Amino acid sequence: MTGLLVLTAVPAEAEAVRAGLIDPTVTVRAIGVGPAVAGATTARLLALAEAAGRPYRAVVSAGIAGGFAGRAPVGGTVLASRSVAADLGAESPEGFIPVDELGMPAELLGGGPTVEADPALLGALRAALPEAVVGAVLTVSTVTGTTESTATLADRHPDAVAEAMEGYAVAIASAQAGIPFAELRTISNPIGPRDRDGWRMREAFAALTQAAQALA
C-alpha cells in the first residue's frame, strides 16, 4: 500500500499543495474541473494503483472553494464532514427534490447524494488544523452566482460551509474502491453574485499551502 493521494482540479492548486507538503510519500495530481472528469480520473488512478499492487491508503479532494458568508471566512480553511451532490435531483413547483427522494433503487444512486468523510481521516485533519471550519461541502456543476440561489442553497443545506465542483465525484470513486476519503478546501470568495474584484485568490492559495502541512 502506498501513501495518501491528494487530488485537485487545476495545476495551480496542485502546486500550492506541493509547496506545503512535509510528507514525501504524498502524491498530488490535478485531475480537471467538474464532477464528470474528476470522478472518471479518480477512478482510473485508483484502479491503476490497485492493479499495480500499490493501492493508496486514502484520498483527499483539495483546492479552492467559495464559502457561505457567515459560515466560512475568505482565506479560511474548511474540512468536509460530508461531500454533497447539491444539484443532483429534479426541480418541481415545490422546490428541489434530491435524487434519493425520486424513488430510484438505492443501487442506482452509488450510495446517494451524500458521502460522509472517513471519521479517522477527518479526525486526523481536524487535529492538525484546529482552526478549520467543519461542515458539509457542496459539489455543483454550475457555480452559484446570484443572491437568490445562494439563499436557496444555504437554506436547503444549513450545515454547508462551502461549494466546489469535484469533491462528491472524488468521494464516490473512492467509496467504490473502498478507500477512505476526505475533502479540504480554502476559501477564495463568498458564494453569491460574481465579483472577481472581491476574490482573494492569493490568500486562498497561501492558506492551501499552509493546510497542506497536515496532509500526511
Side-chain angles (χ1 to χ4, degrees), residues 58-81:
V59 176
V60 173
S61 177
I64 305 302
F68 283 98
R71 302 181 186 179
V74 172
T77 299
V78 303
L79 296 169
S81 56

Side-chain angles (χ1 to χ4, degrees), residues 169-186:
V170 176
I172 285 291
S174 301
Q176 293 284 336
I179 296 177
F181 165 84
E183 184 171 2
L184 181 157
R185 299 282 175 177
T186 57

Side-chain angles (χ1 to χ4, degrees), residues 11-116:
E13 293 169 321
E15 288 304 314
V17 170
R18 292 189 185 104
L21 288 176
I22 58 176
D23 183 346
T25 70
V26 175
T27 299
V28 184
R29 295 282 186 270
I31 57 174
V33 176
V37 68
T41 306
T42 301
R44 179 176 181 273
L45 290 172
L46 297 181
L48 288 173
E50 182 177 2
R54 294 178 295 161
Y56 292 101
R57 65 172 178 83
V59 176
V60 173
S61 177
I64 305 302
F68 283 98
R71 302 181 186 179
V74 172
T77 299
V78 303
L79 296 169
S81 56
R82 59 195 185 104
S83 299
V84 182
D87 53 11
L88 184 61
E91 291 185 332
S92 78
E94 291 74 35
F96 181 80
I97 305 173
V99 67
D100 57 340
E101 297 179 15
L102 294 176
M104 297 181 185
E107 61 268 20
L108 297 182
L109 301 180
T114 295
V115 178
E116 301 288 334

